[in-house]
Amino acid sequence: MDNLKSNGKMIGSLLIGALAGATLGVLFAPHKGTKTRNKIAGGAEKMGKDLKKKMSKEAKEFRKSIDREAKMFKNKAAKLEGFVDEKIESVTANLKEKTNALLHMNADHEAKQK
């Protein structure tokens, strides 16, 4: 999350710098207005492409990060499922053993009473 904030600040700074540069460029332009506007438009187009490329890269890295976390979570869930299955089998076996012991005790008790 901090990485996203840092990237957001970086992009904001980039945009502010570009806007300041464009403003100063217009004010102190050595060329005609048409030529200056074309240069600004070209620069804005390049900046847009660069920004799109950076945002695409960040999105891919974020997606990879999410995929890694999902894989780790899935592995932990699988381990937990195995642990729970083992415990259930253990408790079931223990209950069967104790039930059989109680049944035998009851059968012995009934046999003694006869």
Side-chain angles (χ1 to χ4, degrees), residues 24-85:
L24 290 173
V26 169
L27 290 174
F28 297 104
H31 305 289
K32 287 183 172 183
T34 306
K35 191 172 184 179
T36 301
R37 283 191 296 273
N38 287 340
K39 281 186 166 188
I40 291 171
E45 186 177 333
K46 183 183 181 311
M47 186 176 70
K49 286 179 182 177
D50 290 345
L51 182 61
K52 182 179 178 182
K53 196 182 290 184
K54 286 180 182 180
M55 293 300 286
S56 178
K57 181 181 175 184
E58 287 296 320
K60 285 178 185 176
E61 288 177 14
F62 183 70
R63 194 175 308 120
K64 286 179 184 178
S65 173
I66 294 295
D67 288 345
R68 279 191 303 270
E69 289 179 21
K71 187 175 182 179
M72 286 185 339
F73 181 74
K74 186 177 179 181
N75 288 340
K76 287 181 180 181
K79 287 179 183 177
L80 180 61
E81 182 181 16
F83 176 77
V84 168
D85 286 344

Side-chain angles (χ1 to χ4, degrees), residues 10-26 40 43-44 47-48:
M10 181 184 72
I11 291 169
S13 298
L14 178 72
L15 291 175
I16 289 171
L19 182 61
T23 302
L24 290 173
V26 169
I40 291 171
M47 186 176 70

